[in-house]
Amino acid sequence: MKRVNDKGQAVYVNYVVKHNRLCVVILAASGQMLKSRDKADVRSRTFVKDYQAEAWLRRNGYTTNA
């Protein structure tokens, strides 16, 4: 699913299986860098819990592109 923030930057939200667990991967789509837990620049973030990914998306202003 594609999500966009107010600056027009987009991320893709994908569900994958890693180590026999369902995880959420957030991938930067428009060339921007995302912030990791230690504030380093990364291209993708992985979350084990769905609610953690949703909270991160809300905090950073990403909404569905509807």
Short mmCIF file of all heavy atoms in Angstrom, two decimals:
data_model
loop_
_atom_site.label_atom_id
_atom_site.label_comp_id
_atom_site.label_asym_id
_atom_site.label_seq_id
_atom_site.Cartn_x
_atom_site.Cartn_y
_atom_site.Cartn_z
N MET A 1 0.84 -1.15 0.00
CA MET A 1 0.00 0.00 0.00
C MET A 1 0.90 1.23 0.00
O MET A 1 1.89 1.30 0.71
CB MET A 1 -0.89 -0.02 1.26
CG MET A 1 -1.71 1.20 1.40
SD MET A 1 -2.65 1.33 2.95
CE MET A 1 -3.27 -0.29 3.17
N LYS A 2 0.55 2.20 -0.77
CA LYS A 2 1.32 3.43 -0.87
C LYS A 2 0.73 4.47 0.07
O LYS A 2 -0.49 4.64 0.14
CB LYS A 2 1.27 3.94 -2.30
CG LYS A 2 2.15 5.12 -2.57
CD LYS A 2 2.11 5.48 -4.04
CE LYS A 2 3.02 6.63 -4.35
NZ LYS A 2 3.01 6.96 -5.78
N ARG A 3 1.59 5.14 0.80
CA ARG A 3 1.18 6.23 1.69
C ARG A 3 1.99 7.48 1.34
O ARG A 3 3.15 7.38 0.98
CB ARG A 3 1.42 5.86 3.14
CG ARG A 3 0.69 4.61 3.56
CD ARG A 3 -0.25 4.92 4.65
NE ARG A 3 -0.94 3.74 5.11
CZ ARG A 3 -1.26 3.53 6.36
NH1 ARG A 3 -0.90 4.38 7.28
NH2 ARG A 3 -1.93 2.46 6.68
N VAL A 4 1.36 8.64 1.49
CA VAL A 4 1.99 9.92 1.11
C VAL A 4 1.85 10.89 2.28
O VAL A 4 0.84 10.91 2.96
CB VAL A 4 1.30 10.50 -0.14
CG1 VAL A 4 1.93 11.81 -0.57
CG2 VAL A 4 1.33 9.51 -1.29
N ASN A 5 2.89 11.71 2.50
CA ASN A 5 2.80 12.74 3.54
C ASN A 5 2.48 14.08 2.91
O ASN A 5 2.32 14.20 1.69
CB ASN A 5 4.06 12.79 4.41
CG ASN A 5 5.29 13.24 3.67
OD1 ASN A 5 5.25 13.62 2.51
ND2 ASN A 5 6.42 13.21 4.35
N ASP A 6 2.41 15.13 3.72
CA ASP A 6 2.03 16.45 3.20
C ASP A 6 3.09 17.08 2.31
O ASP A 6 2.80 18.00 1.55
CB ASP A 6 1.68 17.39 4.36
CG ASP A 6 2.82 17.55 5.36
OD1 ASP A 6 3.78 16.77 5.29
OD2 ASP A 6 2.73 18.45 6.21
N LYS A 7 4.33 16.59 2.36
CA LYS A 7 5.40 17.09 1.50
C LYS A 7 5.41 16.40 0.13
O LYS A 7 6.22 16.74 -0.72
CB LYS A 7 6.75 16.87 2.15
CG LYS A 7 6.94 17.62 3.45
CD LYS A 7 8.27 17.28 4.06
CE LYS A 7 8.40 17.86 5.45
NZ LYS A 7 9.63 17.42 6.10
N GLY A 8 4.55 15.40 -0.05
CA GLY A 8 4.51 14.66 -1.30
C GLY A 8 5.45 13.47 -1.34
O GLY A 8 5.59 12.82 -2.37
N GLN A 9 6.11 13.17 -0.23
CA GLN A 9 7.00 12.02 -0.17
C GLN A 9 6.17 10.77 0.04
O GLN A 9 5.23 10.76 0.81
CB GLN A 9 8.01 12.18 0.96
CG GLN A 9 8.91 13.37 0.79
CD GLN A 9 9.76 13.61 2.01
OE1 GLN A 9 9.36 13.29 3.13
NE2 GLN A 9 10.93 14.19 1.82
N ALA A 10 6.56 9.68 -0.65
CA ALA A 10 5.78 8.45 -0.61
C ALA A 10 6.58 7.32 0.01
O ALA A 10 7.80 7.27 -0.11
CB ALA A 10 5.34 8.06 -2.01
N VAL A 11 5.87 6.41 0.67
CA VAL A 11 6.45 5.17 1.17
C VAL A 11 5.51 4.03 0.80
O VAL A 11 4.31 4.23 0.60
CB VAL A 11 6.66 5.18 2.71
CG1 VAL A 11 7.68 6.20 3.12
CG2 VAL A 11 5.37 5.38 3.45
N TYR A 12 6.08 2.84 0.66
CA TYR A 12 5.29 1.64 0.43
C TYR A 12 5.29 0.82 1.71
O TYR A 12 6.32 0.64 2.35
CB TYR A 12 5.88 0.80 -0.71
CG TYR A 12 5.64 1.42 -2.06
CD1 TYR A 12 6.66 2.02 -2.77
CD2 TYR A 12 4.37 1.41 -2.63
CE1 TYR A 12 6.45 2.59 -4.00
CE2 TYR A 12 4.13 1.98 -3.86
CZ TYR A 12 5.17 2.56 -4.54
OH TYR A 12 4.94 3.13 -5.76
N VAL A 13 4.13 0.29 2.07
CA VAL A 13 3.97 -0.54 3.26
C VAL A 13 3.69 -1.96 2.77
O VAL A 13 2.70 -2.20 2.09
CB VAL A 13 2.82 -0.03 4.15
CG1 VAL A 13 2.66 -0.91 5.36
CG2 VAL A 13 3.07 1.41 4.55
N ASN A 14 4.59 -2.89 3.09
CA ASN A 14 4.47 -4.28 2.66
C ASN A 14 4.51 -5.20 3.86
O ASN A 14 5.20 -4.94 4.84
CB ASN A 14 5.62 -4.65 1.72
CG ASN A 14 5.61 -3.82 0.47
OD1 ASN A 14 4.59 -3.64 -0.15
ND2 ASN A 14 6.77 -3.30 0.11
N TYR A 15 3.79 -6.30 3.75
CA TYR A 15 3.80 -7.34 4.78
C TYR A 15 4.65 -8.50 4.27
O TYR A 15 4.43 -8.97 3.15
CB TYR A 15 2.38 -7.81 5.11
CG TYR A 15 1.59 -6.75 5.83
CD1 TYR A 15 0.88 -5.79 5.13
CD2 TYR A 15 1.60 -6.69 7.22
CE1 TYR A 15 0.17 -4.81 5.80
CE2 TYR A 15 0.89 -5.72 7.89
CZ TYR A 15 0.18 -4.78 7.17
OH TYR A 15 -0.51 -3.80 7.83
N VAL A 16 5.61 -8.94 5.07
CA VAL A 16 6.51 -10.03 4.70
C VAL A 16 6.65 -10.99 5.87
O VAL A 16 6.34 -10.65 7.00
CB VAL A 16 7.92 -9.51 4.28
CG1 VAL A 16 7.84 -8.62 3.05
CG2 VAL A 16 8.56 -8.77 5.42
N VAL A 17 7.14 -12.19 5.58
CA VAL A 17 7.42 -13.17 6.63
C VAL A 17 8.93 -13.23 6.82
O VAL A 17 9.68 -13.51 5.88
CB VAL A 17 6.88 -14.56 6.26
CG1 VAL A 17 7.27 -15.57 7.31
CG2 VAL A 17 5.37 -14.50 6.09
N LYS A 18 9.37 -12.91 8.04
CA LYS A 18 10.79 -12.98 8.40
C LYS A 18 10.90 -13.84 9.65
O LYS A 18 10.22 -13.56 10.64
CB LYS A 18 11.37 -11.59 8.69
CG LYS A 18 11.54 -10.72 7.49
CD LYS A 18 12.08 -9.37 7.92
CE LYS A 18 13.38 -9.12 7.22
NZ LYS A 18 13.96 -7.85 7.60
N HIS A 19 11.72 -14.86 9.60
CA HIS A 19 11.92 -15.76 10.74
C HIS A 19 10.60 -16.30 11.27
O HIS A 19 10.34 -16.32 12.47
CB HIS A 19 12.69 -15.06 11.86
CG HIS A 19 13.99 -14.47 11.40
ND1 HIS A 19 15.06 -15.24 11.04
CD2 HIS A 19 14.37 -13.18 11.23
CE1 HIS A 19 16.06 -14.45 10.68
NE2 HIS A 19 15.67 -13.19 10.78
N ASN A 20 9.74 -16.70 10.33
CA ASN A 20 8.43 -17.29 10.64
C ASN A 20 7.49 -16.33 11.38
O ASN A 20 6.60 -16.75 12.10
CB ASN A 20 8.57 -18.59 11.42
CG ASN A 20 9.24 -19.65 10.61
OD1 ASN A 20 9.05 -19.72 9.40
ND2 ASN A 20 10.04 -20.48 11.25
N ARG A 21 7.69 -15.03 11.21
CA ARG A 21 6.80 -14.03 11.79
C ARG A 21 6.35 -13.08 10.70
O ARG A 21 7.12 -12.76 9.78
CB ARG A 21 7.52 -13.19 12.84
CG ARG A 21 7.76 -13.87 14.12
CD ARG A 21 7.99 -12.84 15.18
NE ARG A 21 9.29 -13.02 15.79
CZ ARG A 21 9.83 -12.18 16.64
NH1 ARG A 21 9.21 -11.09 16.96
NH2 ARG A 21 11.00 -12.42 17.17
N LEU A 22 5.14 -12.60 10.79
CA LEU A 22 4.63 -11.61 9.86
C LEU A 22 5.16 -10.24 10.29
O LEU A 22 4.93 -9.81 11.43
CB LEU A 22 3.11 -11.60 9.84
CG LEU A 22 2.46 -10.73 8.79
CD1 LEU A 22 2.82 -11.23 7.39
CD2 LEU A 22 0.97 -10.70 8.97
N CYS A 23 5.88 -9.57 9.41
CA CYS A 23 6.48 -8.27 9.71
C CYS A 23 5.97 -7.23 8.72
O CYS A 23 5.51 -7.55 7.63
CB CYS A 23 8.00 -8.34 9.61
SG CYS A 23 8.75 -9.46 10.77
N VAL A 24 6.10 -5.97 9.10
CA VAL A 24 5.73 -4.85 8.25
C VAL A 24 7.02 -4.15 7.83
O VAL A 24 7.83 -3.77 8.67
CB VAL A 24 4.82 -3.85 9.00
CG1 VAL A 24 4.44 -2.70 8.09
CG2 VAL A 24 3.61 -4.54 9.56
N VAL A 25 7.20 -3.98 6.50
CA VAL A 25 8.36 -3.29 5.98
C VAL A 25 7.88 -1.99 5.34
O VAL A 25 6.98 -1.99 4.49
CB VAL A 25 9.11 -4.14 4.93
CG1 VAL A 25 10.25 -3.35 4.32
CG2 VAL A 25 9.62 -5.41 5.57
N ILE A 26 8.46 -0.87 5.75
CA ILE A 26 8.15 0.43 5.18
C ILE A 26 9.34 0.84 4.33
O ILE A 26 10.46 0.96 4.84
CB ILE A 26 7.87 1.47 6.28
CG1 ILE A 26 6.67 1.03 7.10
CG2 ILE A 26 7.63 2.84 5.66
CD1 ILE A 26 6.40 1.88 8.30
N LEU A 27 9.11 1.04 3.05
CA LEU A 27 10.18 1.33 2.08
C LEU A 27 9.98 2.72 1.50
O LEU A 27 8.89 3.05 1.02
CB LEU A 27 10.15 0.28 0.97
CG LEU A 27 11.17 0.40 -0.14
CD1 LEU A 27 12.57 0.16 0.42
CD2 LEU A 27 10.86 -0.59 -1.22
N ALA A 28 11.02 3.56 1.53
CA ALA A 28 10.95 4.90 0.96
C ALA A 28 10.87 4.80 -0.55
O ALA A 28 11.70 4.15 -1.18
CB ALA A 28 12.16 5.72 1.39
N ALA A 29 9.87 5.44 -1.15
CA ALA A 29 9.64 5.31 -2.59
C ALA A 29 10.13 6.50 -3.39
O ALA A 29 10.48 6.36 -4.55
CB ALA A 29 8.15 5.10 -2.84
N SER A 30 10.17 7.66 -2.81
CA SER A 30 10.45 8.86 -3.60
C SER A 30 11.86 9.40 -3.37
O SER A 30 12.11 10.58 -3.54
CB SER A 30 9.40 9.93 -3.29
OG SER A 30 9.30 10.14 -1.92
N GLY A 31 12.80 8.56 -2.98
CA GLY A 31 14.18 8.98 -2.85
C GLY A 31 14.54 9.60 -1.51
O GLY A 31 15.70 9.92 -1.29
N GLN A 32 13.59 9.79 -0.63
CA GLN A 32 13.92 10.38 0.67
C GLN A 32 14.51 9.32 1.59
O GLN A 32 14.47 8.14 1.30
CB GLN A 32 12.68 11.04 1.31
CG GLN A 32 11.78 10.10 2.05
CD GLN A 32 10.70 9.48 1.19
OE1 GLN A 32 10.77 9.50 -0.01
NE2 GLN A 32 9.70 8.95 1.83
N MET A 33 15.03 9.75 2.69
CA MET A 33 15.59 8.85 3.69
C MET A 33 14.66 8.85 4.90
O MET A 33 14.11 9.88 5.28
CB MET A 33 16.98 9.31 4.11
CG MET A 33 17.99 9.31 2.97
SD MET A 33 18.23 7.69 2.26
CE MET A 33 19.30 6.97 3.46
N LEU A 34 14.48 7.68 5.50
CA LEU A 34 13.70 7.53 6.71
C LEU A 34 14.64 7.53 7.90
O LEU A 34 15.82 7.27 7.77
CB LEU A 34 12.91 6.22 6.67
CG LEU A 34 12.04 5.99 5.44
CD1 LEU A 34 11.44 4.61 5.49
CD2 LEU A 34 10.96 7.04 5.35
N LYS A 35 14.12 7.81 9.07
CA LYS A 35 14.92 7.80 10.29
C LYS A 35 14.74 6.46 11.01
O LYS A 35 13.63 6.00 11.21
CB LYS A 35 14.53 8.93 11.23
CG LYS A 35 14.85 10.30 10.70
CD LYS A 35 16.33 10.51 10.62
CE LYS A 35 16.65 11.90 10.13
NZ LYS A 35 18.07 12.08 9.93
N SER A 36 15.86 5.85 11.40
CA SER A 36 15.81 4.59 12.14
C SER A 36 15.63 4.90 13.63
O SER A 36 15.51 6.05 14.03
CB SER A 36 17.07 3.79 11.91
OG SER A 36 18.18 4.43 12.50
N ARG A 37 15.65 3.86 14.45
CA ARG A 37 15.47 4.05 15.89
C ARG A 37 16.55 4.92 16.49
O ARG A 37 16.31 5.67 17.43
CB ARG A 37 15.49 2.69 16.60
CG ARG A 37 14.26 1.89 16.35
CD ARG A 37 14.36 0.52 16.96
NE ARG A 37 14.87 0.58 18.32
CZ ARG A 37 15.10 -0.47 19.06
NH1 ARG A 37 14.90 -1.68 18.57
NH2 ARG A 37 15.56 -0.37 20.28
N ASP A 38 17.77 4.85 15.95
CA ASP A 38 18.86 5.66 16.49
C ASP A 38 19.10 6.92 15.66
O ASP A 38 20.17 7.49 15.68
CB ASP A 38 20.14 4.84 16.62
CG ASP A 38 20.59 4.26 15.29
OD1 ASP A 38 19.85 4.41 14.29
OD2 ASP A 38 21.67 3.68 15.24
N LYS A 39 18.09 7.33 14.91
CA LYS A 39 18.09 8.57 14.12
C LYS A 39 19.05 8.55 12.93
O LYS A 39 19.37 9.59 12.38
CB LYS A 39 18.39 9.80 14.99
CG LYS A 39 17.49 9.96 16.18
CD LYS A 39 16.05 10.12 15.79
CE LYS A 39 15.21 10.37 17.02
NZ LYS A 39 13.94 9.72 16.98
N ALA A 40 19.52 7.39 12.53
CA ALA A 40 20.36 7.27 11.34
C ALA A 40 19.45 7.24 10.11
O ALA A 40 18.28 6.88 10.17
CB ALA A 40 21.19 5.99 11.39
N ASP A 41 19.98 7.65 8.96
CA ASP A 41 19.23 7.63 7.72
C ASP A 41 19.23 6.23 7.12
O ASP A 41 20.28 5.61 6.96
CB ASP A 41 19.84 8.60 6.70
CG ASP A 41 19.62 10.05 7.10
OD1 ASP A 41 18.62 10.32 7.81
OD2 ASP A 41 20.42 10.90 6.71
N VAL A 42 18.04 5.73 6.80
CA VAL A 42 17.88 4.41 6.20
C VAL A 42 16.83 4.50 5.08
O VAL A 42 16.04 5.44 5.04
CB VAL A 42 17.45 3.34 7.23
CG1 VAL A 42 18.55 3.09 8.24
CG2 VAL A 42 16.17 3.74 7.92
N ARG A 43 16.82 3.52 4.20
CA ARG A 43 15.83 3.49 3.11
C ARG A 43 14.59 2.69 3.48
O ARG A 43 13.56 2.84 2.84
CB ARG A 43 16.46 2.91 1.86
CG ARG A 43 17.57 3.75 1.32
CD ARG A 43 17.44 3.90 -0.16
NE ARG A 43 18.55 4.68 -0.66
CZ ARG A 43 18.41 5.88 -1.14
NH1 ARG A 43 17.23 6.43 -1.20
NH2 ARG A 43 19.45 6.54 -1.58
N SER A 44 14.69 1.82 4.49
CA SER A 44 13.52 1.03 4.88
C SER A 44 13.53 0.80 6.39
O SER A 44 14.57 0.84 7.03
CB SER A 44 13.49 -0.31 4.15
OG SER A 44 14.55 -1.12 4.57
N ARG A 45 12.33 0.56 6.93
CA ARG A 45 12.16 0.24 8.35
C ARG A 45 11.37 -1.05 8.43
O ARG A 45 10.45 -1.27 7.65
CB ARG A 45 11.35 1.31 9.06
CG ARG A 45 11.98 2.66 9.21
CD ARG A 45 12.98 2.75 10.33
NE ARG A 45 12.60 2.17 11.58
CZ ARG A 45 12.13 2.83 12.63
NH1 ARG A 45 11.97 4.12 12.56
NH2 ARG A 45 11.83 2.19 13.74
N THR A 46 11.69 -1.90 9.39
CA THR A 46 10.97 -3.15 9.60
C THR A 46 10.39 -3.15 11.01
O THR A 46 11.09 -2.83 11.97
CB THR A 46 11.91 -4.36 9.42
OG1 THR A 46 12.48 -4.30 8.12
CG2 THR A 46 11.16 -5.66 9.59
N PHE A 47 9.12 -3.53 11.11
CA PHE A 47 8.43 -3.60 12.39
C PHE A 47 7.84 -4.99 12.54
O PHE A 47 7.29 -5.54 11.59
CB PHE A 47 7.29 -2.58 12.47
CG PHE A 47 7.77 -1.16 12.39
CD1 PHE A 47 7.84 -0.49 11.18
CD2 PHE A 47 8.13 -0.47 13.54
CE1 PHE A 47 8.27 0.82 11.11
CE2 PHE A 47 8.56 0.84 13.48
CZ PHE A 47 8.63 1.48 12.26
N VAL A 48 7.92 -5.56 13.74
CA VAL A 48 7.34 -6.86 14.00
C VAL A 48 5.86 -6.73 14.33
O VAL A 48 5.04 -7.56 13.94
CB VAL A 48 8.09 -7.57 15.15
CG1 VAL A 48 7.43 -8.89 15.49
CG2 VAL A 48 9.53 -7.79 14.76
N LYS A 49 5.49 -5.68 15.00
CA LYS A 49 4.09 -5.45 15.38
C LYS A 49 3.45 -4.44 14.44
O LYS A 49 4.02 -3.39 14.13
CB LYS A 49 4.02 -4.91 16.81
CG LYS A 49 4.80 -5.69 17.81
CD LYS A 49 3.95 -6.72 18.44
CE LYS A 49 4.76 -7.33 19.56
NZ LYS A 49 4.45 -8.61 19.90
N ASP A 50 2.24 -4.76 14.01
CA ASP A 50 1.52 -3.90 13.08
C ASP A 50 1.21 -2.53 13.69
O ASP A 50 1.32 -1.51 13.02
CB ASP A 50 0.23 -4.60 12.65
CG ASP A 50 -0.49 -3.87 11.54
OD1 ASP A 50 0.20 -3.36 10.64
OD2 ASP A 50 -1.73 -3.81 11.57
N TYR A 51 0.84 -2.50 14.97
CA TYR A 51 0.49 -1.22 15.58
C TYR A 51 1.69 -0.28 15.70
O TYR A 51 1.53 0.94 15.67
CB TYR A 51 -0.18 -1.43 16.95
CG TYR A 51 0.74 -1.91 18.04
CD1 TYR A 51 1.44 -1.02 18.84
CD2 TYR A 51 0.91 -3.27 18.28
CE1 TYR A 51 2.28 -1.45 19.84
CE2 TYR A 51 1.74 -3.72 19.28
CZ TYR A 51 2.42 -2.81 20.06
OH TYR A 51 3.26 -3.25 21.06
N GLN A 52 2.91 -0.84 15.80
CA GLN A 52 4.10 0.00 15.85
C GLN A 52 4.33 0.69 14.50
O GLN A 52 4.68 1.87 14.45
CB GLN A 52 5.32 -0.83 16.20
CG GLN A 52 5.29 -1.37 17.60
CD GLN A 52 6.41 -2.36 17.85
OE1 GLN A 52 6.89 -3.02 16.94
NE2 GLN A 52 6.80 -2.49 19.11
N ALA A 53 4.12 -0.04 13.42
CA ALA A 53 4.26 0.54 12.09
C ALA A 53 3.22 1.62 11.85
O ALA A 53 3.53 2.70 11.33
CB ALA A 53 4.15 -0.54 11.02
N GLU A 54 1.97 1.35 12.26
CA GLU A 54 0.92 2.36 12.09
C GLU A 54 1.21 3.61 12.90
O GLU A 54 0.99 4.73 12.43
CB GLU A 54 -0.44 1.77 12.50
CG GLU A 54 -0.96 0.74 11.53
CD GLU A 54 -1.26 1.31 10.16
OE1 GLU A 54 -1.69 2.48 10.07
OE2 GLU A 54 -1.06 0.58 9.19
N ALA A 55 1.72 3.45 14.11
CA ALA A 55 2.06 4.61 14.94
C ALA A 55 3.19 5.41 14.31
O ALA A 55 3.16 6.65 14.31
CB ALA A 55 2.44 4.16 16.34
N TRP A 56 4.19 4.74 13.76
CA TRP A 56 5.31 5.43 13.10
C TRP A 56 4.81 6.21 11.89
O TRP A 56 5.21 7.36 11.67
CB TRP A 56 6.38 4.42 12.69
CG TRP A 56 7.60 5.07 12.15
CD1 TRP A 56 8.70 5.47 12.85
CD2 TRP A 56 7.86 5.43 10.78
NE1 TRP A 56 9.62 6.04 12.01
CE2 TRP A 56 9.13 6.03 10.73
CE3 TRP A 56 7.15 5.30 9.62
CZ2 TRP A 56 9.69 6.50 9.55
CZ3 TRP A 56 7.70 5.77 8.43
CH2 TRP A 56 8.96 6.36 8.41
N LEU A 57 3.93 5.60 11.10
CA LEU A 57 3.38 6.28 9.93
C LEU A 57 2.57 7.51 10.33
O LEU A 57 2.69 8.57 9.71
CB LEU A 57 2.51 5.32 9.12
CG LEU A 57 3.27 4.23 8.37
CD1 LEU A 57 2.31 3.14 7.92
CD2 LEU A 57 4.02 4.81 7.20
N ARG A 58 1.76 7.40 11.38
CA ARG A 58 0.99 8.55 11.87
C ARG A 58 1.90 9.66 12.37
O ARG A 58 1.68 10.84 12.08
CB ARG A 58 0.04 8.11 12.99
CG ARG A 58 -1.33 7.76 12.55
CD ARG A 58 -2.30 7.68 13.72
NE ARG A 58 -1.75 6.98 14.87
CZ ARG A 58 -1.79 5.68 15.07
NH1 ARG A 58 -2.36 4.91 14.19
NH2 ARG A 58 -1.27 5.13 16.14
N ARG A 59 2.93 9.30 13.16
CA ARG A 59 3.86 10.31 13.70
C ARG A 59 4.57 11.07 12.60
O ARG A 59 4.87 12.25 12.74
CB ARG A 59 4.91 9.63 14.57
CG ARG A 59 4.56 9.50 16.00
CD ARG A 59 5.77 9.18 16.86
NE ARG A 59 6.64 8.16 16.33
CZ ARG A 59 6.52 6.85 16.53
NH1 ARG A 59 5.52 6.39 17.24
NH2 ARG A 59 7.38 6.00 16.02
N ASN A 60 4.85 10.41 11.48
CA ASN A 60 5.57 11.04 10.39
C ASN A 60 4.65 11.61 9.30
O ASN A 60 5.13 12.04 8.26
CB ASN A 60 6.57 10.05 9.79
CG ASN A 60 7.71 9.80 10.76
OD1 ASN A 60 8.54 10.66 10.99
ND2 ASN A 60 7.72 8.63 11.37
N GLY A 61 3.35 11.57 9.52
CA GLY A 61 2.39 12.25 8.65
C GLY A 61 2.02 11.50 7.39
O GLY A 61 1.49 12.11 6.47
N TYR A 62 2.24 10.19 7.33
CA TYR A 62 1.88 9.43 6.13
C TYR A 62 0.45 8.95 6.22
O TYR A 62 0.04 8.35 7.19
CB TYR A 62 2.83 8.23 5.95
CG TYR A 62 4.23 8.64 5.57
CD1 TYR A 62 5.23 8.71 6.52
CD2 TYR A 62 4.55 8.97 4.27
CE1 TYR A 62 6.52 9.09 6.18
CE2 TYR A 62 5.82 9.37 3.92
CZ TYR A 62 6.80 9.42 4.88
OH TYR A 62 8.06 9.81 4.53
N THR A 63 -0.33 9.24 5.17
CA THR A 63 -1.71 8.81 5.10
C THR A 63 -1.93 8.05 3.79
O THR A 63 -1.10 8.12 2.88
CB THR A 63 -2.67 10.01 5.13
OG1 THR A 63 -2.36 10.88 4.03
CG2 THR A 63 -2.56 10.77 6.43
N THR A 64 -3.04 7.33 3.70
CA THR A 64 -3.33 6.59 2.47
C THR A 64 -3.60 7.57 1.34
O THR A 64 -4.12 8.66 1.54
CB THR A 64 -4.54 5.66 2.64
OG1 THR A 64 -5.64 6.45 3.07
CG2 THR A 64 -4.25 4.56 3.63
N ASN A 65 -3.24 7.17 0.16
CA ASN A 65 -3.40 8.02 -1.02
C ASN A 65 -4.78 7.77 -1.61
O ASN A 65 -4.93 7.04 -2.58
CB ASN A 65 -2.30 7.72 -2.03
CG ASN A 65 -2.24 8.73 -3.14
OD1 ASN A 65 -2.86 9.77 -3.04
ND2 ASN A 65 -1.52 8.42 -4.19
N ALA A 66 -5.81 8.37 -1.01
CA ALA A 66 -7.18 8.14 -1.47
C ALA A 66 -7.76 9.38 -2.12
O ALA A 66 -7.36 10.45 -1.95
CB ALA A 66 -8.05 7.72 -0.31
#
